[in-house]
């Protein structure tokens, strides 16, 4: 795992390392290029948490995801107060690559 000071540093570096797909979380799973995908097809390779400078309520997590077919991309979600909704519960059910777990 690497250390990043900002969310944009993390997403820029991940993109340079091949995480080029852009995923969005929905109530049914992940959306990529207009295609709905099951979270069962993905593993979390890395993740990074960020707190906004202006407000501790401005929280985000960047996930580096790998699809079972080898496709790699980025999912950015809120956490804390901004992580409401049924879609957010799906991320909790995702598997971590190589036994990695959040702290």
């Amino acid at each position: 795992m690497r250390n990043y000071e900002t969310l944009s540093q993390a997403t820029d570096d991940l993109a340079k390392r091949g995480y080029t797909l852009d995923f969005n979380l929905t109530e049914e799973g992940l959306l990529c290029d207009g295609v709905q995908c099951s979270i069962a097809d993905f593993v979390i390779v890395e993740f990074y948490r960020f707190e906004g400078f202006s407000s501790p309520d401005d929280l985000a997590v960047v996930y580096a995801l790998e699809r079972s077919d080898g496709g790699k991309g980025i999912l950015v979600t809120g956490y804390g107060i901004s992580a409401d909704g049924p879609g957010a519960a799906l991320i909790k059910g995702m598997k971590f690559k190589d036994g990695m777990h959040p702290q």
Side-chain angles (χ1 to χ4, degrees):
M1 298 268 290
R2 300 172 188 218
N3 291 319
Y4 301 106
E5 300 220 3
T6 66
L7 188 139
S8 62
Q9 286 176 341
T11 57
D12 289 348
D13 185 59
L14 288 167
K16 288 177 187 173
R17 293 191 287 134
Y19 293 88
T20 57
L21 299 173
D22 181 28
F23 298 113
N24 293 294
L25 192 59
T26 69
E27 291 183 19
E28 294 81 32
L30 293 172
L31 190 66
C32 180
D33 294 332
V35 177
Q36 188 70 45
C37 301
S38 169
I39 61 164
D41 294 333
F42 295 86
V43 293
I44 299 170
V45 179
E46 301 173 29
F47 69 97
Y48 304 94
R49 293 182 183 160
F50 297 94
E51 183 175 309
F53 291 112
S54 60
S55 170
D57 293 333
D58 184 18
L59 307 170
V61 181
V62 174
Y63 294 96
L65 304 179
E66 189 171 315
R67 199 166 44 197
S68 56
D69 68 1
K72 299 188 317 185
I74 299 169
L75 170 67
V76 179
T77 67
Y79 77 95
I81 212 162
S82 62
D84 294 333
L90 291 174
I91 203 78
K92 293 178 183 177
M94 291 184 75
K95 295 178 183 175
F96 290 85
K97 187 173 186 170
D98 300 329
M100 178 185 76
H101 294 284
Q103 298 177 0

